[in-house]
């Protein structure tokens, strides 16, 4: 009964038509990319005997995520996510078609193969953050964790059967069949996205500039300790655990003396385990803390990698990879759910992108390093080293313990009156200096100072720079908080983010103030040379931008 209820809760998002259509189409797309991966890896093993080049196929597919996922996340937060998905998927389709053409013409070389894998990887790197961040727009908030888990299951179902299908296709018609299948399987998702009538709430603010959006995403992760720990642990897990997908062709060829079908079966076993990991994850989240689940999965995966290293029997290796797949998906899906659920909506795409970039970067760099290691000391010995490191990684939890981020952030409006503007300013005017005066009873001084350190991190992750807190030397009850925003547009975004979640420190600080004295807020234009009329004949350059305000544009 419990398992039936658990499965029912997991499948709840599929009752939403738009999610069901996109999820079904993405399943085919996942099949395509994994079938292409089989064809590319096997083609590389036929083109060269260099283990490093074989492992670089995985690097070429994953490295773009590390390099451009953060800009992609910024694009997904700045523009219509549906259009970003369509453009990125179209780019990947062009790369897939190009690979087909080159292969048909007999021009495929190791360098060209890696180049087209990189192009396809770039398209999927831009697609990923926008697609995953849009899940919250497809299902109710209470169904979001299940929807995220289902997206993981979609990829891992494809991983379970796609490689086996890819192995059969490669054995039957060669790598060209795998490349054509990938191109064809992109089409349903493109069609579904084109016809998705996304309800986009118009923004009250001008969009951030591209580089400012990237910086805001990085600053959010930097000053959000809980998210930062997930990012570090994800990079470490991907770096060590990436040995399995990177060396899978060599496990099939060198350790098991098999061909393309065996390679497909091994990838299928790893993918089937990943599906199992996604299915059992809700139970793990209920029974164990995030940290306990992470350590347990890392220990199990380490043991599975060691078993793969010493096994020369196909059945034993399949079982070991099945277990490794369970652990792999349990950890990464758990981390993904925690980051997506807890990240504020204004930075959701960038938080996801940074998570994906760290995992992909770990896998890509690990693939290169493990490939070099296998070339020097052998596949089996490389797997032994990786298994030992994965088992030892459970000790990292004593240093970077993971919090339990299981609930969406509380969104609320402050119903704050708009500030009175006495200067003619444009969105690019700045810097804007913000000062807040607090009256704090002397007996609350120490507690207030400690709470303001939480406020400091909150200001910094929502876009405040140069934060400081000062106490008046002539009035022991008067404190002044000071920070700035680069431009007026950045300040408006900062205020908008302040209407969301993570205001616990502000709430605590307000409880320590003198209830009879309101907080005084000053907003000032720093270096206001442009707001000063040097001559009576000077034109009012901002009059047509902000009607009704007074003074020239700064």
């Amino acid at each position: 009964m419990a398992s039936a209820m658990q499965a029912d809760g997991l499948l709840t998002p599929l009752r939403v038509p738009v999610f069901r259509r996109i999820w079904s189409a993405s399943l085919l797309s996942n099949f395509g990319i994994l079938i292409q991966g089989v064809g590319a890896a096997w083609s590389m093993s036929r083109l060269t005997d260099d283990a490093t080049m074989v492992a670089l196929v995985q690097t070429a597919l994953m490295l773009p995520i590390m390099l451009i996922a953060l800009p992609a996340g910024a694009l997904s937060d700045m523009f219509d996510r549906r259009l970003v998905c369509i453009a990125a998927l179209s780019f990947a389709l062009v790369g897939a078609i190009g690979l087909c053409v080159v292969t048909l013409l007999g021009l495929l070389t190791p360098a060209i193969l890696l180049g087209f894998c990189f192009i396809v990887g770039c398209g999927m790197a831009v697609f990923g953050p926008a697609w995953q961040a849009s899940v919250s727009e497809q299902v109710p908030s209470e169904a979001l964790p299940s929807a995220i888990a289902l997206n993981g299951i979609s990829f891992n179902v494809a991983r379970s059967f796609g490689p086996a299908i890819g192995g059969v296709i490669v054995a039957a018609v060669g790598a060209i069949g795998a490349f054509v299948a990938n191109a064809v399987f992109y089409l349903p998702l493109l069609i579904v996205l084109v016809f998705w009538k996304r309800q986009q709430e118009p923004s009250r603010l001008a969009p951030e500039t591209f580089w400012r959006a990237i910086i805001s995403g990085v600053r959010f992760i930097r000053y959000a300790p809980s998210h930062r720990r997930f990012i570090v642990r994800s990079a470490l897990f991907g770096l060590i655990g990436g040995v399995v997908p990177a060396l899978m062709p060599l496990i099939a060829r060198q350790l098991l003396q098999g061909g393309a079908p065996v390679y497909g079966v091994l990838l299928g076993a790893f993918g089937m385990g990943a599906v199992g990991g996604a299915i059992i994850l809700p139970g793990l989240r209920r029974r164990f803390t995030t940290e306990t689940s992470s350590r347990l999965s890392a220990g199990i995966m380490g043991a599975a990698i060691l078993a793969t290293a010493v096994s020369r029997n196909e059945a034993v290796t399949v079982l070991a990879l099945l277990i490794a797949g369970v652990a792999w998906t349990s950890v990464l899906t758990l981390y993904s759910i925690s980051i997506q659920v807890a990240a504020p909506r204004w930075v959701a795409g960038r938080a996801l992108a940074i998570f994906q970039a760290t995992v992909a970067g770990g896998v890509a760099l690990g693939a290169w390093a493990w490939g070099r290691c296998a070339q020097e000391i052998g596949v089996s010995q490389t797997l032994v080293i990786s298994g030992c490191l994965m088992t030892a990684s459970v000790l990292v939890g004593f240093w970077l313990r993971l919090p339990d981020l299981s609930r969406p952030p509380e969104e609320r409006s402050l119903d704050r009156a708009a500030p009175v503007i006495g200067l003619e300013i444009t969105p690019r005017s700045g810097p804007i200096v913000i000062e807040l005066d607090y009256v704090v009873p002397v007996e609350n001084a120490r507690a207030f100072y400690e709470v303001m350190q939480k406020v400091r991190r909150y200001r910094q992750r929502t876009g405040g720079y140069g934060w400081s807190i000062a106490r008046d030397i002539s009035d022991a009850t008067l404190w002044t908080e000071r920070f700035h925003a680069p431009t007026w547009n950045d300040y408006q975004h900062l205020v908008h983010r302040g209407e969301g979640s993570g205001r616990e420190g502000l709430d605590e600080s307000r409880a320590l103030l003198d209830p009879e004295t309101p907080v005084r807020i000053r907003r000032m234009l720093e270096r206001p040379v442009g707001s000063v009329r040097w001559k009576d004949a000077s034109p009012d350059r901002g009059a047509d931008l902000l009607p009704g305000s007074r003074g020239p544009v700064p």
Side-chain angles (χ1 to χ4, degrees):
M1 176 67 73
S3 61
M5 292 177 60
Q6 177 177 319
D8 182 67
L10 182 64
L11 299 178
T12 298
L14 292 177
R15 296 171 185 163
V16 181
V18 63
F19 178 81
R20 183 172 62 250
R21 287 192 293 268
I22 293 176
W23 185 87
S24 301
S26 68
L27 177 61
L28 286 177
S29 175
N30 289 331
F31 266 105
I33 192 68
L34 287 165
I35 289 173
Q36 175 185 293
V38 172
W42 193 252
S43 292
M44 186 64 79
S45 69
R46 297 290 298 273
L47 291 169
T48 177
D49 292 329
D50 189 341
T52 302
M53 293 298 292
V54 175
L56 280 177
V57 171
Q58 187 75 17
T59 301
L61 289 169
M62 301 297 288
L63 187 62
I65 300 179
M66 182 183 71
L67 296 179
I68 64 175
L70 181 53
L75 290 174
S76 74
D77 286 333
M78 293 172 63
F79 302 108
D80 187 325
R81 287 169 178 154
R82 182 184 71 93
L83 297 180
V84 173
C85 287
I86 291 172
L89 204 58
S90 300
F91 184 82
L93 176 60
V94 170
I97 293 173
L99 182 56
C100 294
V101 172
V102 169
T103 305
L104 282 172
L105 295 176
L107 302 176
L108 193 64
T109 65
I112 291 176
L113 178 59
L114 291 177
F116 275 107
C117 286
F118 186 80
I119 290 173
V120 173
C122 286
M124 300 311 293
V126 176
F127 173 79
W131 172 56
Q132 294 195 38
S134 69
V135 173
S136 62
E137 303 169 9
Q138 302 167 23
V139 299
S141 59
E142 62 271 13
L144 182 58
S146 295
I148 296 169
L150 279 171
N151 280 338
I153 289 177
S154 169
F155 179 79
N156 289 303
V157 165
R159 178 183 286 176
S160 302
F161 302 103
I165 296 172
V168 171
I169 292 175
V170 170
V173 298
I176 182 61
F179 301 153
V180 170
N182 179 46
V184 171
F185 283 177
Y186 280 143
L187 297 178
L189 185 54
L190 266 174
I191 293 171
V192 169
L193 289 172
V194 167
F195 286 99
W196 174 26
K197 294 180 173 57
R198 176 177 180 253
Q199 300 297 322
Q200 184 177 16
E201 182 180 350
S203 175
R204 297 176 297 167
L205 307 175
E208 293 181 278
T209 63
F210 179 69
W211 292 112
R212 184 65 61 191
I214 292 177
I215 293 171
S216 296
V218 173
R219 282 173 59 85
F220 172 80
I221 295 296
R222 178 184 177 186
Y223 295 111
S226 57
H227 285 74
R228 191 169 63 241
R229 293 183 182 186
F230 279 101
I231 295 300
V232 174
R233 295 283 292 273
S234 299
L236 181 63
F237 187 79
L239 182 67
I240 300 173
V243 69
V244 176
L247 299 186
M248 195 79 77
L250 301 179
I251 294 172
R253 291 190 65 184
Q254 297 185 18
L255 298 189
L256 299 180
Q257 305 301 313
V262 173
Y263 173 50
V265 168
L266 295 185
L267 282 176
F270 189 74
M272 283 293 290
V275 173
I279 292 174
I280 68 171
L281 184 59
L284 284 177
R285 293 180 70 212
R286 284 196 301 269
R287 291 179 177 83
F288 304 106
T289 64
T290 301
E291 179 60 43
T292 301
S293 299
S294 179
R295 292 185 193 179
L296 182 63
S297 298
I300 291 174
M301 186 165 186
I305 294 174
L306 289 172
T308 303
V310 300
S311 171
R312 299 298 180 269
N313 180 277
E314 184 176 336
V316 173
T317 301
V318 165
L319 178 61
L321 292 176
L322 190 72
I323 296 172
V326 171
W328 176 265
T329 292
S330 295
V331 170
L332 294 184
T333 305
L334 180 65
Y335 291 177
S336 178
I337 289 174
S338 297
I339 288 177
Q340 289 190 63
V341 168
R345 292 303 92 197
W346 66 267
V347 76
R350 283 163 282 184
L352 274 170
I354 292 173
F355 167 72
Q356 292 175 352
T358 53
V359 174
V363 172
L365 295 177
W368 172 80
W370 295 125
R372 292 296 302 271
C373 188
Q375 183 70 21
E376 296 295 329
I377 66 175
V379 176
S380 181
Q381 292 82 352
T382 299
L383 290 170
V384 168
I385 293 173
S386 173
C388 292
L389 289 175
M390 180 62 74
T391 304
S393 70
V394 300
L395 301 176
V396 177
F398 293 101
W399 172 47
L400 291 174
R401 187 175 184 86
L402 298 174
D404 288 303
L405 304 179
S406 57
R407 286 193 240 174
E410 178 187 356
E411 301 291 339
R412 54 178 172 168
S413 175
L414 301 181
D415 194 23
R416 180 185 295 163
V420 176
I421 301 175
L423 296 176
E424 285 194 356
I425 56 177
T426 70
R428 298 178 61 184
S429 300
I432 304 298
V433 179
I434 303 94
E435 290 185 350
L436 297 93
D437 289 338
Y438 305 102
V439 175
V440 183
V442 174
E443 61 271 19
N444 292 342
R446 181 176 295 278
F448 179 77
Y449 179 79
E450 292 175 354
V451 167
M452 291 303 289
Q453 301 312 305
K454 296 181 183 179
V455 174
R456 171 179 61 84
R457 290 190 292 271
Y458 168 72
R459 301 290 193 202
Q460 289 171 324
R461 69 173 175 261
T462 53
Y465 290 76
W467 186 92
S468 66
I469 186 73
R471 192 178 187 185
D472 196 305
I473 61 175
S474 62
D475 182 352
T477 66
L478 181 59
W479 296 69
T480 300
E481 178 190 8
R482 190 178 194 272
F483 57 95
H484 74 269
T487 66
W488 178 247
N489 187 43
D490 291 316
Y491 171 72
Q492 291 178 304
H493 278 278
L494 183 152
V495 173
H496 179 68
R497 295 162 189 166
E499 295 177 353
S501 61
R503 297 173 48 85
E504 295 80 6
L506 282 177
D507 294 338
E508 293 178 38
S509 69
R510 296 305 190 263
L512 297 171
L513 304 180
D514 179 2
E516 303 299 325
T517 308
V519 176
R520 181 184 178 189
I521 303 176
R522 291 186 297 276
R523 305 168 185 87
M524 298 170 287
L525 178 64
E526 193 172 68
R527 299 192 298 273
V529 62
S531 67
V532 178
R533 184 188 295 273
W534 297 106
K535 298 179 180 179
D536 289 340
S538 297
D540 289 340
R541 293 171 293 161
D544 57 339
L545 296 176
L546 291 176
S549 55
R550 300 183 301 276
V553 176

